[in-house]
Amino acid sequence: MADGSRDNAPWFLSAPGLALFAALLGAPLVLTVMLSFYQFDYSTGGIQPAFSFTNYLDVLSDSYFHKIFGRTFGVALLVTVVCILIGVPEAYVLNRMRNPWKSIFLLIVIGPLLISVIVRTLGWALLFGSQGGISTALQWLGLADGPVSLMFTMTGMTIALVHVLVPFMVLAVWASLQRLDPQVEDAALSLGASQMTVLRRIVLPQVMPGILSGSMIVFSLTASAFATPSIIGGRRMKVVATTAYDEYLSTLNWPLGAAIAIVLLVATAVIIMSYNRLIERRYARVFE
Amino acid sequence: MAFLKLINLTKRFGDFVAVNDLSLDIEKGEFISLLGPSGCGKTTTLQMIAGLHDPSGGSIELEGRDLTHVPPNKRGLGIVFQSYALFPHLTAAENIAFGLEMRGVGRAERDQRVARALDQVHLASFADRHPKALSGGQRQRVALARALVIEPPVLLLDEPLSNLDAKLREEMQLELRILQQNIGVTTILVTHDQSEALSMSDRIVVMDRGRAIQIDTPLAMYEAPGNAFVSGFVGKTNLLAGEVTTTRAITVNGVKLAANASGLSKGAAVRASLRPEKIVLGKPASGLKGKVGAAVFHGSHWLYTLDTPLGDLIAVAPNTGEPPFKSGASVSLSWPDNALRVLPAESSDG
Amino acid sequence: MRRNGLVSLVFHTLFIAFILAPLLAVIAVSFTGKGYLSLPTDGLSLRWFRTILDYPGFIDAFWMSLYLGTAASTIAVSVAVPAAIAIGRYEFTGREAVTAVFLSPLMIPSVVLGVSFLRFFNQIGLSGTFIGITLAHVIMVMPYAIRLVLASVTGMPRDAEQAAATLGASNWTVFRRITLPLILPGIAGGWLLAFITSFDEVTMSIFVASPETMTLPVRMYHHIAQTIDPLIAAISTLLMVGTVALLVLLDRLYGLDRVLVGKG
């Protein structure tokens, strides 16, 4: 208990965890980086441990991969924007509700985070099919002449991914709304600001950190999403994660798959960090 | 041989000296208060005695045994924390029993001693309550019972009453003092409340910036403060700045006042302390005159602010039922010769 | 109290409908009596729930996921408790770095984790084993375990431990009698969240799961990739019922909003 006499205690306590992470996370990542520089022998299906940049050159120069990476980050951006547009207002509305409604709707909105992605994606697959609910509804409303299928389309994939990820946005914004002093809004109103001005000038800047962390989570999870793009997008709408999967388990070209995964990791990290910089500079005041 | 000895105790946090060369001898059964403003090092001192901080220098001895590097769980001292630090998941009785259990006291004896301790602090009917279901005062009593039931050689109290409201605090001061005297346990109280220190202690240690400024009985501390800091911190006072005229007088703002200035050279700058309740106000007559600024009623007494040739003074007069002096009234001021205390100038920077 | 206007409430209703629509679609289809995808127009039928019993592959995968989730979250929590105490209780150089290490699996795309574990287990001969997939899941769920345990460690009154020490309790006794009971809700919450995360995980598991260690979500993914039928809807409905039951438990134990902040 006495201070100063047990400087080694924290290291001793975290040693099991750190050892576990070094062995089971550090080592695999290093091996994968190494693998991404190795060569795949198409004739034998074996891996040649010879160092070269071939895989990266393939990924970075081939228009096939350009399209896949472009689609992946395009969808990630689109999903993030939609999540901000609908998640932020929903968090605000939830925050203004009274109990028990507040708790009930909060549970409905963020509870699905704990329901398997497979189950949620299956729901959209059921709705998107040409016999599904959306097609039927559009025809009934007279908005479509015949059966419409959103399966294997960009629109379908975006809708399903927004559904899977919007709870993270609501949660992040909700958390920063909790820290907001409700009297500050009243103060602004008493000084003659309109409701819209209060939202724009008072509330929004203060929930900016929440929107920022929410969009970083949504963006990075969308960029690396696998199950939803695979089921809704299928072969026609391949993204990075499904491509890496195919290289690993269909083509068996592990070195190329590893290179794709590493490029994804690095690209996501770079985008997230630049975004973070940009927003932090812009809203430096609210981040303290 | 003192019961508990602190010898040149020092604690540094980086460059900051929290406790600076503190030495103190405490007799068995004594009630000592460590009094001072926040940051003066009183709590750090207590925590070093408890073993929760390792001293940077010096040592602690209990009955001649060196305690300095004994871990807290082997010291056997009783501690009441400022926050009470009750175990929230245990009932009042279980909280009190914890220390006995650690000492391997058998179930039957444990139950008996817990019951007695609960009785001592008037909580017999609250034994099975969890801390959450107790009031502030009751929690305080549980914390006290938990510390006392192990019959510690020394009881350490860290601002134990500061979380209670004023009325309850006064009741607990009295109760704590009576309990301490009945049991005869050597007690060290840390407080920033001078009236608490004055009312409860056998001796007070006034601390400032890590140092013990003065160690004395409450009466001596009040009547003969060693310097301006002590006179200002222990009770209210009027501090007058002046210079020594003779060994028996000082001059303040050109007014010559009788005071014991022996040992000081003529012309030396000094400060003098004059307690407000020593000032006697009367109808205007010869001697020092003043004008009443405000008269504030405190029930048992009146507090006056006065505009005098010595500067602004405060005075306290008992409420006799007579109407007080009105604001603006002229009054004469007088006090017993020994009421004006000349303080050594060199330590008057507090 | 400020109220939501009409526009807000209309928006809110549409949002909730959006969230619930796919879940309700799954539930509706699972009760159909027909042999193909359709709504249960002529009465609710349990036909497809009974059919699950004819597919031992799903039953085995369910048990697999259950064992895996239990093993992975138990290991993760037992490592997380001392680590969280180190992070929450001590000021030491490298504290931030240690925290970042334990939270890092959240930052790394699951695909990358998947390919890395696949390569690693291949190299050390653990590929396709239960031990392998369990260790992979331990890493995956560790951030959740750390976050919830850490929150309860930092939220716990420090002075209760000091008081216990001054009453004569040894370090171990302080931990067992005071610290552990007080952080227990955090430990239980962390375990449950880790369990649910492990139980639901697809993207990483799909790389490391062999036919012998196939988890339920992976099995379901492979099934959906082939065909979408009322059978998979029935399984999904059961999974939702199970999740809601755990949600209620988690809420009782720890407060759901606190847990979910740990998830985000």
Side-chain angles (χ1 to χ4, degrees), chain B residues 50 52 72-73 77 79 81 83 85-90 98-99 101-103 146 150, chain C residues 157 159-171 173-174 177-179 181-182:
Chain B
L52 300 173
N73 53 355
L77 309 184
I79 303 167
F81 291 78
S83 64
L86 296 180
F87 309 132
H89 59 303
L90 303 182
F98 189 88
E101 218 179 304
M102 294 302 120
R103 282 159 179 71
R146 185 177 70 179
I150 58 173
Chain C
D159 50 10
E161 291 176 343
Q162 293 187 339
T166 61
L167 287 167
S170 66
N171 284 339
T173 309
V174 171
R177 295 285 309 275
I178 308 299
T179 317
L182 289 178

Side-chain angles (χ1 to χ4, degrees), chain C residues 88-162:
Chain C
R89 275 299 150 72
Y90 293 90
E91 285 292 336
F92 58 102
T93 16
R95 180 162 156 261
E96 302 281 311
V98 170
T99 316
V101 165
F102 287 128
L103 295 181
S104 63
L106 290 177
M107 308 293 148
I108 303 170
S110 309
V111 188
V112 177
L113 290 176
V115 302
S116 303
F117 289 134
L118 178 58
R119 172 70 175 162
F120 180 63
F121 293 143
N122 240 297
Q123 297 291 88
I124 63 167
L126 279 181
S127 109
T129 63
F130 182 72
I131 296 178
I133 196 168
T134 304
L135 293 174
H137 273 234
V138 168
I139 299 292
M140 190 85 193
V141 302
M142 188 72 171
Y144 304 109
I146 280 275
R147 276 192 184 175
L148 290 205
V149 178
L150 184 58
S152 63
V153 167
T154 48
M156 194 206 125
R158 182 76 212 267
D159 50 10
E161 291 176 343
Q162 293 187 339

Side-chain angles (χ1 to χ4, degrees), chain C residues 16-51:
Chain C
I16 295 297
F18 169 69
I19 292 291
L20 290 180
L23 306 177
L24 296 176
V26 171
I27 294 170
V29 168
S30 70
F31 284 103
T32 188
K34 303 207 181 74
Y36 50 90
L37 280 183
S38 55
L39 291 175
T41 38
D42 31 337
L44 300 179
S45 158
L46 294 178
R47 169 183 172 181
W48 289 102
F49 290 93
R50 280 193 297 271
T51 310

